Amino acid sequence: MTVFGDTWDYLTTGSNWSGSGGMLELLLQQLLLSVTALAIAVVIGLPVALWLGHLGRGGFLAINISNIGRAVPTFALLALLVTFDFPGRAEFGPYGRAGLATLIALALFALPPIITNSYVAVREVPPEVKESARGMGMTGPQQFFRVELPRALPLIASGVRLALVQVWATATIAALVAGPGLGRVITDGFFRTNYGKGIAGALVVAAVALLLELVAAMAQRAATPPGLGSPERGDDEMSGDAR
Amino acid sequence: MTLPAATSLTTAVEPSCYSRLTNEWVCAQYFVDRKSDLVEATTEHVLITVAAVAFGLLIAFPLALLARRYPRLEATILGVSTGLYTIPSLALFPLLVPFTGLSPTTVVIGLGLYALTILVRSILEGLRSVPEEVRESATGLGYGAGRLLLRIELPLALPVIMAGLRVATVSTVALTTVGSLVAYGGLGNLIKDGVNTNFRAELLAAAVLCVVLAVVLDVLIVLLQRVLTPWTRGVTT
């Protein structure tokens, strides 16, 4: 099929990668967006979820925030944010067109996996372990930092990993609302019937997605304290995030 | 040409809330005027969602049975499906286009593959949650593998499977909107149009309808679950 030839041609033409608006720039833009959004979500969501988990409060919200996040289409939220007067479609520094709207949407969609997993992670620390810590005379913060947190780390890491995949996927979709990132190569290609270009963009997006997942998996394994093994139950792996 | 649009031809009392002059977010007039658009988009959306989930279920079921039977296959099946799940939808649809063209099939198969990932795990987990003693008693009573699966294991696995089905369906409803890339996105088509033409009423209506649809389907599945598992109905604490 000639479309594969077109795709190959597009991928191997250096000018498509370099320069302003080239694939390399868009790729870096999307990576920057993803990392920033993930960092924001972690900074906001992680402490709140861990604290709620430690106290055992707010469980209903923490669990159901994932259900809500799943039901809201990422495309719809991006479209709404871009059409509001603020943040709108303004360029946002290195984040490109509609950068702020995309960043907000990405951070919002990264929150549910982080919050739910972190909350569940702390709740799932066995009560006997918590009792022993209390019995040994540890104060609340000591119990948390020395006992609960290390045991919760694998599931927290899995939540962050899920959030990363979710963020990368949402960042790609941002192109549908004339946003930043590699998705633009796909939408440009498809809306101008240059299918070789569209599929080339799709290949790059997919390849980077798999790479990120691999890196995140290795990071998760590194974050697992030896002797704990990987989280099986309640991994929330397939939490059905809108990707 | 200086007359406001509202007073020209129509007999409407108040000016329409979407025009060159106004662009309201909430607009009842929009629903009246564009009812056919909305109905058509919603129908397409529902059909794509149902087809995708059905497709996913149809493939997930034998895959789960295979994975249960051959542990080495399980790792492969779960690994490949996780890999597929990692690929963003906006990228997956273009990758399918050379094979399925610019048709609803592309969207249905793409979404079906995502649903498959969730469902394979749910079915596997559900079947594994059946207590071993129950299986043993049934085998002792003379149940063959087929009857065992159909009359004992599946009914007991239903709660877990249904939970997975709910997750799969709700996320499929949301993801169908991305199908607007190939012009088959159901309500996503309206969202795309609303963004491109800055038509606020259309955008908000389509977005809200999406969420409503997801909730409705979720409730329907819960009701289905209650119908299929009558033994859980009497349990009240």
Side-chain angles (χ1 to χ4, degrees):
Chain A
M1 286 180 246
T2 58
V3 75
F4 289 129
D6 292 339
T7 308
W8 179 252
D9 286 338
Y10 193 85
L11 283 172
T12 49
T13 312
S15 59
N16 289 328
W17 286 89
S18 57
S20 154
M23 284 213 281
L24 193 60
E25 181 192 1
L26 293 173
L27 170 62
L28 292 173
Q29 196 176 70
Q30 194 168 335
L31 279 173
L32 184 66
L33 270 166
S34 304
V35 167
T36 311
L38 191 63
I40 294 175
V42 166
V43 161
I44 296 181
L46 196 59
V48 170
L50 289 176
W51 181 57
L52 287 176
H54 175 67
L55 292 178
R57 326 277 296 263
F60 183 76
L61 185 66
I63 307 277
N64 279 301
I65 199 176
S66 278
N67 292 334
I68 299 171
R70 201 180 303 136
V72 175
T74 53
F75 181 28
L77 186 65
L78 281 164
L80 285 170
L81 284 172
V82 155
T83 317
F84 286 152
D85 292 325
F86 177 83
R89 292 167 208 255
E91 279 243 2
F92 191 58
Y95 298 114
R97 321 185 292 195
L100 186 57
T102 308
L103 205 57
I104 294 176
L106 291 181
L108 281 175
F109 279 109
L111 280 173
I114 293 177
I115 291 181
T116 304
N117 272 33
S118 307
Y119 178 85
V120 170
V122 178
R123 293 309 300 155
E124 291 217 325
V125 175
E128 319 85 73
V129 173
K130 289 199 261 215
E131 283 240 7
S132 332
R134 223 177 354 241
M136 281 171 65
M138 291 192 190
T139 62
Q142 279 178 329
Q143 283 172 39
F144 177 73
F145 283 104
R146 292 210 220 155
V147 176
E148 292 177 341
L149 190 55
R151 289 197 68 124
L153 223 45
L155 202 48
I156 296 175
S158 121
V160 175
R161 172 180 163 192
L162 274 175
L164 178 61
V165 173
Q166 165 77 65
V167 160
W168 181 256
T170 309
T172 312
I173 294 179
L176 279 177
V177 297
L182 271 173
R184 200 193 307 183
V185 180
I186 301 176
T187 52
D188 270 1
F190 269 78
F191 295 151
R192 299 185 196 169
T193 67
N194 182 355
Y195 298 116
K197 176 176 179 182
I199 298 174
L203 277 172
V204 177
V205 169
V208 177
L210 289 168
L211 213 70
L212 284 174
E213 164 80 357
L214 224 67
V215 167
M218 291 194 302
Q220 180 178 342
R221 214 166 313 162
T224 306
L228 218 55
S230 58
E232 288 283 343
R233 209 182 70 70
D235 194 304
D236 223 24
E237 179 87 25
M238 298 295 117
S239 63
D241 313 317
R243 53 209 45 253
Chain B
M1 300 304 117
T2 54
L3 286 173
T7 58
S8 54
L9 292 161
T10 62
T11 52
V13 181
E14 65 237 39
S16 163
C17 41
Y18 64 96
S19 67
R20 283 174 289 123
L21 306 170
T22 61
N23 196 4
E24 302 285 333
W25 281 105
V26 183
C27 184
Q29 191 70 28
Y30 166 74
F31 284 93
V32 170
D33 291 346
R34 303 292 188 97
K35 197 166 87 152
S36 60
D37 278 355
L38 283 167
V39 167
E40 186 188 332
T42 309
T43 314
E44 180 182 293
H45 204 117
V46 170
L47 287 175
I48 292 180
T49 302
V50 169
V53 173
F55 171 74
L57 202 58
L58 223 67
I59 312 250
F61 195 58
L63 278 181
L65 290 179
L66 274 175
R68 191 170 69 137
R69 188 110 187 264
Y70 305 106
R72 262 184 295 169
L73 220 51
E74 177 184 344
T76 315
I77 291 177
L78 291 183
V80 170
S81 59
T82 309
L84 278 173
Y85 199 71
T86 308
I87 300 177
S89 50
L90 198 67
L92 187 60
F93 294 147
L95 292 175
L96 287 173
V97 160
F99 308 102
T100 49
L102 292 172
S103 65
T105 319
T106 305
V107 183
V108 167
I109 293 186
L111 295 175
L113 289 174
Y114 290 136
L116 185 144
T117 305
I118 303 172
L119 290 169
V120 162
R121 277 159 203 272
S122 297
I123 297 177
L124 209 50
E125 198 186 310
L127 289 173
R128 290 213 171 118
S129 72
V130 175
E132 192 56 40
E133 316 86 72
V134 173
R135 228 179 261 132
E136 283 202 18
S137 336
T139 327
L141 281 172
Y143 276 73
R147 265 184 87 201
L148 181 67
L149 181 65
L150 215 56
R151 319 261 352 244
I152 310 281
E153 295 181 307
L154 270 183
L156 286 176
L158 265 176
V160 178
I161 297 179
M162 286 307 212
L165 190 64
R166 287 171 67 186
V167 170
T169 307
V170 169
S171 51
T172 303
V173 170
L175 277 175
T176 304
T177 52
V178 182
S180 59
L181 177 72
V182 292
Y184 287 102
L187 289 163
N189 296 338
L190 292 181
I191 294 178
K192 176 156 147 269
D193 187 61
V195 169
N196 289 342
T197 57
N198 198 25
F199 192 169
R200 289 178 174 177
E202 183 179 37
L203 174 53
L204 190 64
V208 168
L209 266 174
C210 250
V211 178
V212 166
L213 189 61
V215 171
V216 164
L217 287 178
D218 191 61
V219 167
L220 281 177
I221 297 179
V222 171
L223 289 175
L224 179 67
Q225 181 178 345
R226 302 197 71 193
V227 162
L228 290 177
T229 56
W231 56 88
T232 56
R233 264 189 257 149
V235 180
T236 46
T237 350

